[in-house]
Amino acid sequence: MDPASDQPSEVSDEEQMVDAVKRSLIRLRGDHGRLTVHKFARHPLLVQLLGDGDLMDGFIALIRELDRLKRGNKYEAAVAWSITADADAVIDRLQMTVDALAVGEGKDQRTGRHWSDRGMDSVARDLVAFAAMRGHTGRDLIGIAVNGGSKRLVVQIVQVASVNLVRRAPLVTIQVTPDRADAKASEVDLETVVPDVREIDGDFETRRHVVRVDLPDYVYQPGERLLSISLTARRTPTPIFLLENHSEVDPTHRLTFAVNRTLVVTELTAFE
């Protein structure tokens, strides 16, 4: 990562990451306007670090962390106040920082900037350390490929993740004829299943699992679902999903994918 960039990619060295986060915090402090979701959204490194790439989760985590820092040492508290103080201009927020932390001492905004600058490094280190503990600093790619025909579907699940990423293999939930009253769900926890392929290449680990699902020989009504397969990614930043349909199902059936953050739902539906 270019330390001057907000984009959270390619850096594995902790010092470079800390420096990049520090620069992002300084830019966030210097941006005009009060701290809002829209202002925070302009700093994708912080969004990724604090919220797994989810804007609202990251914003809430930032507010919580800055509120905690206000009760910490003077320099870290100055970082928090200089970002969250209720003023549009950074110079006014720095003055409010001094007013909050140096009551009656006659300090001006230059002291607030000095204190805030001194606290930036330790705050950035804390954010990087917390993200590492949560497993939010790596990258996670999950590919789902569906093969097979009208009697059986074969689902290949390939997970490629940074080796420094604390994550678990996905949880797969299978429902055959989910619209029927007697439908039952079964779960396959891929973390407990030996993968068909497991390889480590440099900074990345690849795991491939194969899940086979037999389809019942029923007569379906139009619009009825034959099959629903849900895949939930766990303990991971919001992953990148690659979805491929190579199946040769009955022409009266349609296979679809739906993605919602860390969840992919694959459905086979009768439409004639």
Side-chain angles (χ1 to χ4, degrees):
M1 180 189 300
D2 179 353
S5 168
D6 267 348
Q7 296 303 320
S9 60
E10 305 304 326
V11 166
S12 58
D13 182 81
E14 183 178 347
E15 288 302 316
Q16 287 182 292
M17 178 63 81
V18 168
D19 188 55
V21 172
K22 179 179 175 181
R23 289 170 182 263
S24 289
L25 289 171
I26 292 172
R27 281 192 291 271
L28 178 64
R29 183 186 69 184
D31 285 350
H32 183 77
R34 291 162 173 81
L35 181 60
T36 64
V37 173
H38 298 294
K39 183 177 177 180
F40 178 63
R42 296 198 290 267
H43 302 273
L45 175 58
L46 299 178
V47 175
Q48 177 64 42
L49 205 69
L50 291 161
D52 295 3
D54 183 275
L55 179 59
M56 287 306 303
D57 286 353
F59 183 70
I60 292 170
L62 175 67
I63 295 297
R64 185 186 303 119
E65 179 63 13
L66 293 178
D67 284 343
R68 183 188 69 81
L69 290 172
K70 289 178 181 178
R71 301 187 295 272
N73 67 58
K74 178 173 62 178
Y75 304 118
E76 293 181 348
V79 173
W81 278 104
S82 64
I83 292 174
T84 63
D86 192 19
D88 289 330
V90 63
I91 192 170
D92 292 332
R93 280 186 264 113
L94 290 168
Q95 184 61 55
M96 294 172 72
T97 297
V98 171
D99 293 342
L101 300 177
V103 179
E105 294 185 22
K107 305 291 186 180
D108 63 17
Q109 59 86 21
R110 290 173 295 181
T111 299
R113 184 182 297 275
H114 173 67
W115 289 350
S116 180
D117 285 345
R118 282 195 61 177
M120 282 291 177
D121 188 76
S122 61
V123 171
R125 288 184 185 281
D126 282 349
L127 294 181
V128 171
F130 293 154
M133 286 188 291
R134 296 192 305 267
H136 294 175
T137 56
R139 287 178 291 168
D140 196 6
L141 183 149
I142 298 177
I144 303 172
V146 181
N147 296 273
S150 299
K151 299 296 184 181
R152 167 184 283 188
L153 289 184
V154 179
V155 183
Q156 294 193 61
I157 301 165
V158 179
Q159 185 176 28
V160 181
S162 303
V163 294
N164 64 334
L165 185 65
V166 180
R167 62 96 170 91
R168 297 178 65 190
L171 176 69
V172 179
T173 304
I174 302 168
Q175 280 190 299
V176 179
T177 61
D179 296 326
R180 303 201 174 196
D182 59 349
K184 295 182 180 180
S186 60
E187 290 187 346
V188 180
D189 185 348
L190 297 183
E191 188 66 25
T192 66
V193 178
V194 177
D196 296 79
V197 174
R198 182 175 183 270
E199 299 175 343
I200 296 179
D201 183 7
D203 293 332
F204 294 93
E205 178 185 24
T206 300
R207 298 181 185 180
R208 180 168 66 88
H209 291 88
V210 178
V211 177
R212 296 173 176 82
V213 184
D214 292 324
L215 301 175
D217 188 15
Y218 287 159
V219 176
Y220 299 94
Q221 300 299 317
E224 184 178 5
R225 291 177 298 167
L226 288 68
L227 178 67
S228 175
I229 303 175
S230 300
L231 182 144
T232 304
R234 300 176 295 179
R235 293 188 67 181
T236 175
T238 302
I240 300 171
F241 288 111
L242 300 179
L243 309 174
E244 299 181 4
N245 177 16
H246 302 296
S247 64
E248 297 179 356
V249 298
D250 189 290
T252 63
H253 300 160
R254 179 182 292 115
L255 190 137
T256 60
F257 297 104
V259 179
N260 181 13
R261 293 181 60 193
T262 58
L263 173 69
V264 176
V265 179
T266 305
E267 293 186 333
L268 184 63
T269 306
F271 67 91
E272 287 186 7

